[in-house]
Amino acid sequence: VLRAIRAGRRQLRVLLVTDDDDLGVILRGLKLGADGACLSRAGPETLRLAIGNVIAGEVALPGDRVTEILHGLLEGNAEAQIETTSVLSLTDREHQVLRMLADGQGPAEIAVGLGLSISTVRTHLQHVMGKLGVHNQLHAAAKGRQLLGPSSPR
């Protein structure tokens, strides 16, 4: 289903809701294009927040598994070995947006930080994702972290 949704280039937001705590299940869903994942046993409030985040264009992940998930998306993934030309093709603003995304900021935070509208940030994110060959912000954040490394402390 995820492959069909992404192949159709439809702008549908997808939240993977699973009762399986297996990291592999979550990673497969995210690699296929889900915008987030939530464990069903986390409770109704956590599920409501995850749905709200995904609808808002942000990523939703089980909080205690974020580091494992980001590492899992990069490990053993041949697509994670992006050529330098992908980063070089980013405009200065797209590079700023990717840096902030890789540092864990969502579109709303990026908009405030750069003094842009949320719509403009979403447009930049779409361009970044296209240039990096990824289908969602989570993958863009993971690849941004891989390509740009951790941000320097302030």
Side-chain angles (χ1 to χ4, degrees):
V1 172
L2 285 170
R3 282 190 192 123
I5 288 171
R6 295 304 178 218
R9 301 283 187 221
R10 301 184 90 191
Q11 294 296 328
L12 298 176
R13 308 296 298 164
V14 178
L15 175 66
L16 171 66
V17 180
T18 179
D19 62 354
D20 193 339
D21 196 26
D22 179 6
L23 186 62
V25 170
I26 295 170
L27 289 174
R28 278 191 300 278
L30 294 170
K31 286 179 181 180
L32 287 171
D35 298 295
C38 183
L39 298 174
S40 58
R41 70 172 176 276
E45 182 58 22
T46 301
L47 179 58
R48 185 189 68 72
L49 289 171
I51 291 169
N53 284 345
V54 168
I55 288 171
E58 299 191 11
V59 174
L61 294 174
D64 60 337
R65 307 292 305 267
V66 171
T67 300
E68 289 175 275
I69 290 169
L70 289 176
H71 285 293
L73 288 172
L74 294 175
E75 288 177 5
N77 184 354
E79 293 175 14
Q81 304 304 318
I82 300 172
E83 297 179 14
T84 304
T85 55
S86 296
V87 175
L88 295 176
S89 71
L90 298 176
T91 65
D92 289 340
R93 183 63 85 184
E94 290 167 352
H95 190 274
Q96 288 175 313
V97 169
L98 178 59
R99 161 52 55 211
M100 294 173 84
L101 186 69
D103 288 341
Q105 296 182 45
E109 294 170 298
I110 294 170
V112 169
L114 296 177
L116 302 172
S117 72
I118 190 76
S119 176
T120 300
V121 170
R122 286 189 180 128
T123 299
H124 286 309
L125 286 169
Q126 287 297 319
H127 293 162
V128 167
M129 290 186 294
K131 289 177 180 182
L132 296 180
V134 298
H135 299 291
N136 60 46
Q137 291 177 31
L138 179 61
H139 268 147
K143 288 192 177 194
R145 177 70 71 136
Q146 177 192 26
L147 293 168
L148 306 175
S151 64
S152 56
R154 299 174 199 223

